[in-house]
Amino acid sequence: MNRKVLLFAPAAFSLAETSRMVEIAKGVARDPVASQRFEIRFISEGGDFESLIEDNHFPLERVEPRLTPEKIAHVFAVNDEEKFAPTYSGAEMIEKVAGDLVVLDRLNPVAVVTGSYLSMPLSCRLRGIPVVWAVQSTWLPGFFATGAGTTDDLRPPALKRLIDALLYPLFRAWMWYGFIHPVNQAALHYRVPGFRPVLSFFHGHTSLVAEPPGFTDIPLPEDHSHIGALLPTGEFSLPPQVDALPHDRPLIYFAMGSSGVGHVVADLLESFRDTPYQVVAPVKALIADQHVDVPPNVLVTDWLPALEMNRRADLTLIHGGIGTVLTAALAGRPVVGVGMQPEQVANISCLVRKGFARRVGKSRNRTRLVSEVQSAIAKLLADDTARERAAAYAESIKDWADGSARAAALLVERYG
């Protein structure tokens, strides 16, 4: 039987995005039915984590035009609200779609699995190819329409509803201007409908919700299915310096993924000077262009096996990407979160609601930021109830630690 091409389209400059796509592909490759039905292929427009795809022996199509380091830095800056600008121009998006179409026409995939490859939904629309989104429920309109967790503490309820009503259009405007407007400009060029309303962009033929049920209280729309967490497995090893650390003080695991803002990471690193903690921070890539005086009680490393490190830690300090949030939750560890952009703030808020996390707003006031983070760390480490709630939640979701098998089964059901 001829196998159908199942194409994975990650934004390969994002560790979280690429690892999620790789984990789904691994699930397909391991599944005896899916592996017979599908031929796995990847497409990428550039990024440091293309190596993660090839290290797992998946064929990779490098599409033109390639993203430059400068463009990738710009996309991250817009995504992290460091810039208010479009990620791409309309002309750039038209060129990106043209490059996608070359590969789509050659491979003729049965479906494309993506998470934030911005041009791909339009490219698939042009060729009538189903789009499979790997998403989380904090992307859904219903979550942002109710404040995305940022207004939970507002009283009275009427004030919360008012602020929610003001914040939602602001979020949609940011999403439209930064991300969707260039795609719609390209849609106009190619004479197909654009994505309106804005958040319809994320509604594909199938959506794999990469979290356990109950992570938020938002009902899932049609064609959305919980699959559980998609966490990297076997990609990174633990360096001997970590095993050699003393165990005479609390261990803080400080992880900001690949999208943490460099100057924020640098400030937080330096804030651990003269604190009674040992800190392990896989943030080497994020501070490469920063002048950081790393304190002696902080070990800065390359990427680490996140779940193992969370289990060793007493507390996790994270940026709130869904992978970092679910890794901390599965490890049963209290969390301090500093979100870099709205989705991450929303993810952290879900753990705040469960009683074992504290959220600190990203502030350009360095003194305020580091003071609030260090205060939150101290309070959570002294909070026995938070530790108990974290452990209880980890126990309740342990069967949802690997979403790749559920994803493979759904892909066979829909496209096999």
Side-chain angles (χ1 to χ4, degrees):
M1 181 174 67
N2 290 331
R3 293 187 298 167
K4 304 171 184 177
V5 172
L6 184 63
L7 184 62
F8 290 83
F13 49 84
S14 165
L15 174 59
E17 162 83 358
T18 310
S19 64
R20 280 152 62 101
M21 296 294 106
V22 167
E23 288 305 312
I24 296 172
K26 285 181 182 179
V28 171
R30 286 192 298 262
D31 185 282
V33 176
S35 61
Q36 292 300 311
R37 302 284 178 84
F38 298 124
E39 176 187 348
I40 298 169
R41 304 291 286 267
F42 275 75
I43 183 174
S44 171
E45 55 198 339
D48 290 342
F49 301 105
E50 288 183 339
S51 60
L52 192 60
I53 299 165
E54 294 181 313
D55 288 348
N56 281 280
H57 310 294
F58 293 123
L60 175 63
E61 304 282 340
R62 287 180 167 83
V63 69
E64 297 289 343
R66 304 288 287 163
L67 294 179
T68 65
E70 293 76 19
K71 175 54 75 171
I72 292 171
H74 172 74
V75 172
F76 271 133
V78 174
N79 194 57
D80 293 338
E81 299 181 307
E82 295 292 302
K83 287 183 180 179
F84 185 64
T87 46
Y88 301 93
S89 68
E92 287 174 326
M93 190 59 61
I94 290 167
E95 190 177 11
K96 280 170 57 60
V97 170
D100 295 343
L101 294 178
V102 171
V103 176
L104 293 179
D105 289 343
R106 178 161 49 83
L107 296 181
N108 190 27
V110 67
V112 175
V113 186
T114 191
S116 56
Y117 189 122
L118 200 57
S119 58
M120 190 55 69
L122 175 57
S123 301
C124 288
R125 176 170 288 187
L126 285 163
R127 291 298 184 261
I129 298 170
V131 175
V132 179
W133 280 102
V135 300
Q136 57 260 20
S137 58
T138 50
W139 288 11
L140 298 177
F143 197 73
F144 277 98
T146 55
T150 62
T151 61
D152 285 1
D153 296 331
L154 289 179
R155 298 291 184 274
L159 176 62
K160 179 185 184 319
R161 289 194 296 270
L162 174 62
I163 300 302
D164 290 347
L166 295 172
L167 287 177
Y168 189 39
L170 289 175
F171 164 73
R172 286 182 299 180
W174 170 75
M175 180 63 71
W176 173 83
Y177 183 64
F179 302 92
I180 310 305
H181 180 54
V183 179
N184 284 345
Q185 287 180 301
L188 182 63
H189 171 82
Y190 284 104
R191 298 182 180 181
V192 295
F195 295 90
R196 298 177 181 86
V198 169
L199 295 181
S200 69
F201 179 77
F202 297 105
H203 188 80
H205 295 76
T206 303
S207 291
L208 310 175
V209 184
E211 65 191 43
F215 182 65
T216 68
D217 56 359
I218 300 299
L220 294 187
E222 187 179 356
D223 293 328
H224 285 59
S225 301
H226 286 112
I227 60 169
L230 293 170
L231 307 181
T233 55
E235 309 297 351
F236 309 110
S237 58
L238 206 63
Q241 304 97 294
V242 174
D243 279 325
L245 292 173
H247 300 279
D248 56 349
R249 48 187 166 175
L251 177 63
I252 309 296
Y253 180 55
F254 174 32
M256 287 272 154
S258 59
S259 63
V261 177
H263 68 86
V264 174
V265 175
D267 287 345
L268 291 175
L269 280 176
E270 292 182 352
S271 77
F272 284 103
R273 187 176 305 281
D274 299 324
T275 61
Y277 315 128
Q278 177 64 56
V279 181
V280 176
V283 298
K284 187 175 181 180
L286 299 177
I287 60 170
D289 59 351
Q290 303 288 320
H291 300 289
V292 186
D293 184 11
V294 179
N297 60 325
V298 175
L299 175 63
V300 173
T301 72
D302 282 318
W303 311 113
L304 295 173
L307 188 57
E308 182 177 353
M309 278 306 310
N310 272 270
R311 287 173 173 159
R312 291 182 177 223
D314 295 286
L315 179 143
T316 298
L317 172 61
I318 55 176
H319 69 320
I322 192 66
T324 61
V325 164
L326 289 180
T327 303
L330 284 161
R333 292 299 178 263
V335 170
V336 175
V338 183
M340 300 292 113
Q341 42 98 342
E343 174 221 309
Q344 294 167 0
V345 173
N347 294 336
I348 296 163
S349 296
C350 292
L351 299 190
V352 174
R353 292 176 177 183
K354 297 183 188 306
F356 58 92
R358 289 176 179 258
R359 182 176 58 82
V360 177
K362 183 180 70 169
S363 173
R364 294 186 182 277
N365 184 322
R366 178 184 186 276
T367 302
R368 176 182 175 184
L369 174 65
V370 301
S371 173
E372 291 185 358
V373 167
Q374 290 300 330
S375 174
I377 289 172
K379 289 176 180 176
L380 269 182
L381 285 174
D383 189 341
D384 292 338
T385 300
R387 283 197 296 275
E388 291 168 3
R389 287 172 174 167
Y393 185 61
E395 178 66 20
S396 74
I397 63 172
K398 64 182 181 181
D399 292 337
W400 294 86
D402 178 11
S404 62
R406 290 185 184 89
L410 273 168
L411 290 168
V412 169
E413 178 187 323
R414 303 284 173 85
Y415 308 105

